[in-house]
Amino acid sequence: MIGRRGRYYPTITPDILLRAYSIGLFPMAESADDPEIFWVEPEVRGVLPLDDFHVSRSLAKAIRKKPFYIRVNTAFDRVIDLCAEPAADRANTWINATIRLLYSELHRMGHAHSVEAWEGDELVGGLYGVSLGSAFFGESMFSRRTNASKICLVHLVERLQAKGFSLLDTQFTTEHLKTFGAIDVPKEDYLEMLKEAVASPHLQF
């Protein structure tokens, strides 16, 4: 991970966290059991252009079958809990107790949101992130069923497009995100995009 790190103890507040996002920083922990967090400022930022979002034919076909009921902001804390659980592709996560508390408070303030895939009464996929101005900062996602998190991402992008958001920050790019059109943006260019987005009136998610 390329970026600036600075140790910070759990005295951080939600307002400080929002300020950090507004200048290009975001927090992580070394592990779920580590009580500390550090700031990350990547030299290259992952961005998913909202006007160049790509959905594969196979995923579009799966979406048309409506395998899940999609909800927004009905189980925010549960989404974080499931994002923090070990999965087949990650033995540990960076979501610790401090991060859970901070983002739960941001959710109550109207700045953090979840998109959820439900199968009956079971939450089987989801993602969460932070909104500020016309920017949305994706944080993490999980999937307990095939395509669950992908379908949540599609719903997120459609929602951001409909609401007039201008920036979807993915922090880093992965091969998975690149299939949707995610690109790497140099820090200087990203900060210009960010400055314009956070100067916008805060949009309702």
Side-chain angles (χ1 to χ4, degrees):
M1 178 185 307
I2 300 175
R4 185 177 70 194
R5 292 187 174 193
R7 283 291 186 181
Y8 205 102
Y9 291 88
T11 52
I12 183 174
T13 67
D15 287 335
I16 290 174
L17 184 52
L18 288 177
R19 173 59 180 161
Y21 273 106
S22 75
I23 59 173
L25 306 176
F26 58 87
M28 296 183 74
E30 292 289 356
S31 71
D33 297 327
D34 189 342
E36 301 178 8
I37 62 176
F38 57 86
W39 296 121
V40 182
E41 185 183 26
E43 291 298 323
V44 177
R45 196 72 166 232
V47 170
L48 190 49
L50 293 170
D51 58 356
D52 196 24
F53 183 67
H54 174 71
V55 178
S56 68
R57 291 183 179 178
S58 59
L59 181 57
K61 182 178 179 180
I63 292 172
R64 286 195 294 270
K65 294 180 179 179
K66 298 182 179 180
F68 312 114
Y69 181 65
I70 304 299
R71 301 178 186 171
V72 172
N73 288 336
T74 68
F76 182 86
D77 289 341
R78 181 61 177 155
V79 169
I80 293 185
D81 288 344
L82 291 172
C83 285
E85 287 186 354
D89 59 342
R90 60 174 188 247
N92 204 347
T93 76
W94 49 267
I95 301 172
N96 64 4
T98 302
I99 286 174
R100 293 190 199 194
L101 289 172
L102 283 169
Y103 286 84
S104 291
E105 183 59 29
L106 285 185
H107 175 61
R108 287 188 285 272
M109 294 167 61
H111 281 285
H113 311 280
S114 60
V115 179
E116 310 143 11
W118 292 83
E119 191 175 71
D121 294 330
E122 184 179 1
L123 180 60
V124 297
L127 58 83
Y128 76 96
V130 173
S131 64
L132 185 64
S134 66
F136 189 91
F137 308 88
E139 283 295 320
S140 187
M141 61 176 62
F142 78 95
S143 187
R144 297 293 183 268
R145 297 288 188 277
T146 301
N147 290 326
S149 62
K150 293 180 181 180
I151 291 174
C152 286
L153 178 59
V154 172
H155 184 90
L156 170 68
V157 170
E158 291 176 346
R159 191 177 186 90
L160 296 180
Q161 291 171 333
K163 297 287 185 176
F165 281 76
S166 63
L167 174 63
L168 174 50
D169 175 350
T170 66
Q171 299 179 348
F172 305 102
T173 58
T174 63
E175 291 307 312
H176 167 66
L177 289 173
K178 286 179 180 179
T179 65
F180 290 96
I183 59 173
D184 291 317
V185 177
K187 182 172 69 174
E188 293 78 10
D189 295 340
Y190 170 78
L191 291 176
E192 287 298 319
M193 298 165 64
L194 177 65
K195 181 179 179 181
E196 182 176 347
V198 299
S200 167
H202 183 64
L203 299 177
Q204 292 296 317
F205 183 79

